[in-house]
Structure formats: structure tokens, C-alpha cells
Amino acid sequence: MSSFRPDAAAEASVPSSAPISEGQFSTGESTSKLQLDLEQLRADVRILQRDLLRIVDDSAVAPNDSGGAIEHESDADQAGVAATVRRHPVGAAIAMALLAVALIGGARAWRYSQTYESTDDAEINAHIGPVSSRIYGTVAKVYVEENQYVKKGALLAEIDAHGYADAVARAGAGEDEAAATVGELESAVEAARAQLAAAAATGIQACRDAHRWSDLQKGRIVSAHEGEQYTTAARIAAANTAAVRAEMVSYQKALLAAEAARRAAHAAAVQAQLNLGYTRIYAPMSGIVGKRSVEVGQRAQPGEDLMAIVHRENLWVTANFKETQLRRIHPGERATIHVDSLDEDFDARVESIAGASGAKYSVLPPENATGNYVRVIQRIPVRIRLLPDQQETSSLRPGMSVEATVWLQ
């Protein structure tokens, strides 16, 4: 009986048809060794990068207050770094190159970040003109639809004008009547003025006769009775002159009142004509119709908004910058507006800076003098004007979100 050997059993368990060659076994072992060396190299590179960063940071430390020397790495750390560099010179070179690139890139990025200020708290704005009625009335016709482009002066709607046409006729008749009254009173004043002139002439002649007969009476040439007759005639002429003058004054006062009434009647006629014109509602500016709420048969009230018109030709951007960003932002600086919806950039200029923060213009502004005070960085609206003659500006709409970048000088 033969004895049992583990080696013989292992050899017996290997099939004779698949022998393992020496070359195959050597290749697998070398591949595993290369992978281990690669992993060790990567670990050494990471250690080297960390050590180099620490060396750079420690070398930048200033002397202490007592005048001591600059702190350095310990001898053990320096020895470890030197050993790693000698063992893997290629990895060390790569790490140093990466560190240099990172430092140079960081410096350039920081320097570039100091040349501009940007914010995404910005939107496009435009003038939005409300269209309302100036008079009471029933809407008879509406000529525009929502989102329709109209030009300045285009007819938008009409209000029933029959009542206002009658008012124009009545006001015209009242003006004519007032003008006729003024004409009559002017004639009366002229007649009274002529009567006053005649009465004044008669009174002057009577006074002269009375003085002459008074002198004759003193010389006892004529009797006293005849002198009294001429004196009485002079007094009557003076009283008649005063009466004619009073009548002329009354006519003049009546004429002034009639002229005032004529001016009032003329103003009423002009207002009636204006009200008749207000029955036709025109576009105050060119733009796109929006918020149309008027319908045929609706009872219009003065001041009631019927629709709105967005003026597209005068667009600007309201950018809400933080107060800490306004140190170097000034009117006139160049700006770039990136529109999110179009993914396009537009040239612009800073036009003005608001006089107060956005919170101060709110309905309920903050009151820092009461309650618990919390310091919050405020935002200041900056008005940025889009430059003219740029393509795709017709696609811009008020309210679009944009990103505003101001290039500092």
C-alpha cells in the first residue's frame, strides 16, 4: 500500500490537458504588480500635493510679534517629502505643475472677478400705458384684441355718442344766446354814452347861462326872477346828466356780466365738443395691447382701465445689486445683459442708480428703529439702458429674467 502525499494529490487534481505554462503565470503576476505600483504612485502623488501645499502655506507665515523666525516644516516631514520626490520624480513634477497651474489660474480668476459686478436679480422693464375712459357712457365698439400691435393714434374703442352730440348742440345754442345778449347790451351802452354826451353839453350851456344872468342880476340889469329861472335850468341839466351817467354805468355792469356768461357758454360748448371727441378712444403710444377688459355694452366710468399698451421701443433693465456691489458702479459704465429665454447677450449702459433701496419703496418698509434689529444686506435698483440698433430686441418683453453684468472702469 502506497503512502498519501499532498503534492501528489494536487498534481493529480490538475488536468493533463490544460497545463499551466511558466510564461502565463509570469504575465499575471507582473500585471498585478503594475497595478499595485500604480495605486502606490497615486497615493504618493496625493501625499506630495498635500505636503507641497502645506510647505507653501507655512512658508507664507509672517514672523511672530516677538521677532522669531518663520515657521518651517519639521525635519521628519521634509525628509518624507524628499524621499517621496526621489522615489517618484515624474509624479512630483506633475504635482508641482498642477499646483503651479492652480495658483496661476486662481490668481487670474480672482483678478478677473474684480473687473465686473453681476447679479441675476434683474428683469426687463418698459413703459406700460393704461388706457381708460374720460367720460361716462356705454361702449359701442371695440376694435382691438389682446396681444395686438397698434400704432400711436389708432382707434381702440368707441362710446355711444348720441347724448354727447345733443349736449354739443345745446351748448352751441347757449353760446349764441349769450352772444346776442352781449350785443344788445353793447348797443345800450353806446346809446347811453351818446345821451350822456348830450346831457353834459346841455348842462354846460345851462351853467354858463346861469353865471351870465347872475352877473346881470348883481348889476340890477335884470330882475331876480329871471336869474332864478336860469339857475333852476342849470340844476335840472346837471341832474339829467347824472341820471344818464348812472344808466350808462348800469348798462356797462350788465355788459360785463353778459360777457362773463358768454365766456362760460363758450367754455361749456368747448367741453361738450371735447366730451364728444372722448367717445372715440385712441392709442396713446405704439405697442402691444394687454389686459383688455372692455367689452361691447359695458358701462364705462371715468378713470376705469379698459386695457393697457406695452411700449416696446423703450426698454431698460432694472438690476437689483447688493449695496456692497455699488462701490465702483457708476452711470455710463458698459454693461452686458444676458437674457435667459433667448440665451443671447445685449450691450447696455448704466443709466442711473436709485435714490433708495427697494425695501424703502415697498408698501410696508422696514422700521429698524423698532423691534429687534437684524442687519440685512439691502439691494439698490440700478437702471441699465439697452443700446439701440441691436438684433432680437423685438423679442424682448417686460418681466423677462436677465443676468446683468457691469464692467468696472
Side-chain angles (χ1 to χ4, degrees):
M1 182 175 65
S2 63
S3 61
F4 175 78
R5 291 186 307 151
D7 296 337
E11 292 176 0
S13 62
V14 177
S16 60
S17 60
I20 298 176
S21 64
E22 182 179 359
Q24 290 176 345
F25 179 79
S26 300
T27 302
E29 183 179 2
S30 61
T31 302
S32 301
K33 185 176 181 181
L34 287 176
Q35 291 178 351
L36 292 176
D37 291 341
L38 181 60
E39 292 296 331
Q40 183 64 32
L41 179 60
R42 290 176 179 175
D44 293 340
V45 168
R46 287 195 293 268
I47 294 173
L48 179 59
Q49 290 177 348
R50 185 169 62 251
D51 293 336
L52 288 175
L53 290 175
R54 186 163 63 251
I55 292 172
V56 172
D57 292 339
D58 294 339
S59 63
V61 176
N64 54 26
D65 297 337
S66 60
I70 300 176
E71 296 181 1
H72 295 282
E73 283 284 334
S74 63
D75 295 339
D77 293 339
Q78 292 183 359
V81 172
T84 304
V85 171
R86 286 194 302 269
R87 188 168 59 250
H88 303 290
V90 177
I94 294 175
M96 295 183 66
L98 292 176
L99 179 59
V101 170
L103 291 176
I104 295 174
R108 290 185 176 180
W110 179 84
R111 189 180 305 153
Y112 178 74
S113 66
Q114 302 302 307
T115 62
Y116 67 92
E117 293 288 353
S118 64
T119 179
D120 57 357
D121 186 0
E123 65 176 5
I124 296 176
N125 283 328
H127 293 291
I128 301 178
V131 179
S132 60
S133 174
R134 297 187 179 183
I135 57 175
Y136 293 95
T138 303
V139 178
K141 295 179 181 179
V142 179
Y143 296 98
V144 295
E145 296 293 339
E146 191 83 9
N147 304 329
Q148 179 180 342
Y149 179 81
V150 295
K151 293 184 178 181
K152 182 179 179 180
L155 182 61
L156 303 178
E158 284 189 24
I159 297 176
D160 187 12
H162 292 88
Y164 292 100
D166 295 339
V168 169
R170 290 194 300 270
E175 185 180 8
D176 293 340
E177 184 179 356
T181 302
V182 169
E184 293 176 359
L185 289 174
E186 287 177 346
S187 299
V189 168
E190 291 297 329
R193 185 176 287 109
Q195 291 178 3
L196 178 61
T202 302
I204 292 172
Q205 185 62 40
C207 289
R208 289 176 180 175
D209 292 343
H211 283 296
R212 186 168 54 253
W213 283 100
S214 177
D215 293 338
L216 293 176
Q217 183 181 358
K218 290 179 182 179
R220 296 182 181 277
I221 299 175
V222 296
S223 62
H225 179 69
E226 292 177 347
E228 290 178 356
Q229 289 180 351
Y230 284 103
T231 302
T232 301
R235 291 175 180 173
I236 294 173
N240 187 27
T241 301
V244 173
R245 181 178 290 108
E247 183 179 8
M248 186 187 69
V249 170
S250 66
Y251 282 143
Q252 287 177 339
K253 291 182 179 179
L255 178 60
L256 292 176
E259 287 179 346
R262 184 181 64 178
R263 289 194 296 270
H266 176 71
V270 171
Q271 185 61 50
Q273 191 67 39
L274 288 175
N275 291 339
L276 181 60
Y278 292 154
T279 59
R280 298 169 66 87
I281 302 174
Y282 298 94
M285 62 179 72
S286 299
I288 298 177
V289 176
K291 293 180 62 178
R292 181 199 141 173
S293 60
V294 60
E295 297 294 342
V296 175
Q298 177 180 338
R299 183 69 178 176
Q301 304 289 332
E304 178 185 3
D305 291 341
L306 305 179
M307 63 187 73
I309 296 180
V310 180
H311 189 49
R312 296 189 311 172
E313 285 74 17
N314 188 17
L315 299 177
W316 71 90
V317 173
T318 300
N320 300 302
F321 284 93
K322 296 179 181 179
E323 56 185 316
T324 54
Q325 295 179 289
L326 296 179
R327 297 187 182 95
R328 292 185 293 169
I329 294 180
H330 303 286
E333 289 182 331
R334 185 172 62 90
T336 301
I337 304 301
H338 180 77
V339 182
D340 296 342
S341 62
L342 303 179
D343 196 20
E344 295 286 343
D345 291 338
F346 295 88
D347 295 329
R349 290 281 180 182
V350 176
E351 189 174 57
S352 60
I353 301 175
S357 65
K360 284 297 182 182
Y361 290 116
S362 63
V363 178
L364 297 175
E367 294 291 343
N368 294 335
T370 60
N372 295 326
Y373 171 68
V374 178
R375 183 181 180 88
V376 178
I377 296 178
Q378 301 297 319
R379 290 185 178 268
I380 309 297
V382 176
R383 187 184 180 108
I384 302 176
R385 176 71 60 180
L386 292 173
L387 298 182
D389 301 331
Q390 298 188 76
Q391 297 180 353
E392 300 296 334
T393 55
S394 60
S395 302
L396 300 179
R397 295 293 185 271
M400 282 185 172
S401 298
V402 300
E403 182 177 353
T405 302
V406 177
W407 302 100
L408 305 176
Q409 296 179 355

